[in-house]
Amino acid sequence: MSEPLRVLITGAAGQIAYSLLYSIAKGDVFGANQPIALHLLDIEVMNNVLNGVVMELQDCALPLLKEVIATHEYPKAFKDVDVAILVGAMPRREGMERKDLLKANVKIFKGQGEALNQYAKKTAKILVVGNPANTNCFICRKYAPSIPSENFTCLTRLDQNRAQGQIAQKLKESNVLVSSLDVSNVTIWGNHSSTQYPDVNHAVVNIQGKAVPAREAVKDDNYLDGAFIETVQKRGAAVIAARKLSSAMSAAKAICDHMRDWWTGTAAGQWVSMGVVSDGSYATETGLVFSFPVNISGGAWSIVQGLSISDKAKERIGITLNELVEEKNDAVAVCSD
Ligand SMILES: NC(=O)C1=CN([C@@H]2O[C@H](COP(=O)(O)OP(=O)(O)OC[C@H]3O[C@@H](n4cnc5c(N)ncnc54)[C@H](O)[C@@H]3O)[C@@H](O)[C@H]2O)C=CC1
Ligand SMILES: O=C([O-])CC(=O)C(=O)O
């Protein structure tokens, strides 16, 4: 067996981590033969809760889990990590937009960027989950200049999974029985916020072994251009309104999907959506962390190029782009206070 992969999870005493740790330690993400050392970080007041999580991990009796380091200290938490999943941050409550968290959360990602820069492996793959995820990722990368920018990503896979789920659900209404996994190449453009653009123009549904364009399968452009987009954009808020807590089980599942695909690659002809550092593709601003369609091979992602983008789609991409530019300016100002 190989050396343990050092996987840092921040916010390890919180609700997303509680759904996430088991899948990672069991081998669902990095493979059934990959030993894992978990580095669990939370703030000092959560020490007791974190100890309880460590006890439960021991009690899961997982053969791949070789070591658990639970701490509130950055030097220990970030030391030599191969993977950093940065979840720890304040979640939003009912009535808030995710960008309302910016002031409270962005400085956490400045400090964790500095810690990655100082202590993590230079090859570390980083996934930012804490909201506002794109802008926190932008700041994290800014303060970790020794790690390549392509190693920084943020989570928009939950939005992708939601979009696939909505299309599968809609098809059930006309007795076309498919699962979310039969829907591919939906793209989430831009910000993990209510301005994101879930785009079905290149999406495909596998119906009894035949690849059918999503618009042809659904046969309802009004829905796809209206209620579908709004449902995906506002799904996080709908979960908060119902649960009085933000999504956790589905967020943990999306984190696993994101990391597993980054590790093992995307299927031929299929792409996934990830927030990545923009190279200016599709008229976006270079350097912003923007969600794009990406292909992944050999642990490296590349933005899918050459997709046709309608004028309406360009307008929607422009809206989410403008929001990200504003968030970035606010975040840079907060961090230089
Ligand atoms: N990008 C996405 O798709 C999603 C993002 N989120 C975001 O993930 C974040 C975490 O959500 P939950 O787990 O539900 O929240 P939670 O409140 O249950 O857990 C957050 C944990 O982070 C810890 N924490 C706070 N500051 C920290 C720091 N400086 N270092 C390490 N740990 C710290 C807290 O003590 C707490 O244990 C929130 O910002 C939420 O909005 C949630 C769902 C989806
Ligand atoms: O909506 C929230 O605040 C939590 C989140 O990011 C999501 O569920 O997508």
Side-chain angles (χ1 to χ4, degrees):
M1 266 202 176
S2 50
E3 279 291 294
L5 193 72
R6 301 203 160 269
V7 181
L8 163 66
I9 293 157
T10 72
Q15 55 151 5
I16 293 178
Y18 196 72
S19 288
L20 173 66
L21 293 172
Y22 175 69
S23 298
I24 291 183
K26 176 168 163 286
D28 290 349
V29 177
F30 301 105
N33 295 315
Q34 175 60 62
I36 300 285
L38 282 178
H39 292 216
L40 305 181
L41 176 76
D42 210 293
I43 51 179
E44 193 170 3
V45 291
M46 297 302 280
N47 274 354
N48 270 342
V49 179
L50 194 55
N51 283 339
V53 172
V54 173
M55 286 185 236
E56 285 208 72
L57 278 167
Q58 285 165 353
D59 299 347
C60 285
L62 297 164
L64 290 176
L65 186 57
K66 301 299 177 197
E67 186 184 356
V68 180
I69 296 169
T71 181
H72 60 269
E73 291 168 3
Y74 282 12
K76 266 196 206 162
F78 286 84
K79 180 81 183 140
D80 289 337
V81 296
D82 299 289
V83 172
I85 303 177
L86 306 182
V87 181
M90 189 200 279
R92 69 173 164 154
R93 304 280 174 223
E94 213 168 341
M96 294 169 87
E97 284 295 327
R98 296 184 187 98
K99 64 183 166 199
D100 297 333
L101 297 169
L102 197 143
K103 275 211 173 72
N105 286 343
V106 82
K107 280 194 176 155
I108 296 176
F109 292 86
K110 174 182 178 184
Q112 295 188 351
E114 289 165 344
L116 282 165
N117 199 46
Q118 194 171 351
Y119 303 112
K121 290 198 181 134
K122 299 304 168 203
T123 50
K125 283 181 157 61
I126 296 130
L127 168 59
V128 175
V129 177
N131 278 315
N134 299 57
T135 299
N136 287 336
C137 185
F138 173 89
I139 290 295
C140 192
R141 178 223 165 190
K142 178 169 157 49
Y143 288 94
S146 66
I147 298 178
S149 60
E150 58 269 25
N151 293 23
F152 290 85
T153 63
C154 83
L155 189 72
T156 56
R157 184 60 170 266
L158 178 52
D159 307 296
Q160 178 192 318
N161 288 349
R162 287 168 172 162
Q164 290 175 208
Q166 289 302 311
I167 290 173
Q169 210 51 42
K170 180 75 180 169
L171 286 168
K172 272 187 200 148
E173 288 170 18
S174 34
N175 288 324
V176 179
L177 299 183
V178 293
S179 80
S180 297
L181 279 186
D182 293 314
V183 182
S184 56
N185 293 0
V186 176
T187 303
I188 305 298
W189 297 96
N191 202 0
H192 173 64
S193 79
S194 55
T195 67
Q196 68 177 265
Y197 173 35
D199 173 3
V200 295
N201 290 319
H202 306 276
V204 170
V205 187
N206 181 337
I207 303 176
Q208 292 172 342
K210 191 168 170 247
V212 181
R215 284 194 184 274
E216 206 177 289
V218 172
K219 298 187 187 70
D220 187 347
D221 284 343
N222 280 341
Y223 165 75
L224 288 174
D225 295 331
F228 162 76
I229 292 179
E230 204 167 309
T231 301
V232 177
Q233 287 175 330
K234 297 188 176 161
R235 188 66 155 190
V239 171
I240 293 171
R243 259 172 43 89
K244 310 298 171 208
L245 283 171
S246 66
S247 354
M249 177 172 51
S250 56
K253 162 66 166 56
I255 292 168
C256 293
D257 290 344
H258 177 117
M259 284 312 308
R260 188 202 54 240
D261 286 351
W262 197 0
W263 219 251
T264 57
T266 44
Q270 293 193 5
W271 64 72
V272 293
S273 292
M274 279 168 52
V276 298
V277 177
S278 171
D279 61 354
S281 291
Y282 296 99
T284 57
E285 182 178 302
T286 304
L288 276 185
V289 176
F290 197 92
S291 180
F292 286 105
V294 298
N295 293 128
I296 306 168
S297 174
W301 54 264
S302 57
I303 296 171
V304 176
Q305 297 294 338
L307 295 177
S308 57
I309 309 287
S310 67
D311 287 345
K312 186 69 205 160
K314 273 187 198 149
E315 203 180 298
R316 289 187 185 281
I317 291 172
I319 291 170
T320 195
L321 174 65
N322 288 342
E323 183 182 50
L324 276 172
V325 172
E326 274 174 31
E327 276 187 24
K328 175 200 71 176
N329 292 337
D330 290 351
V332 168
V334 169
C335 287
S336 54
D337 278 353

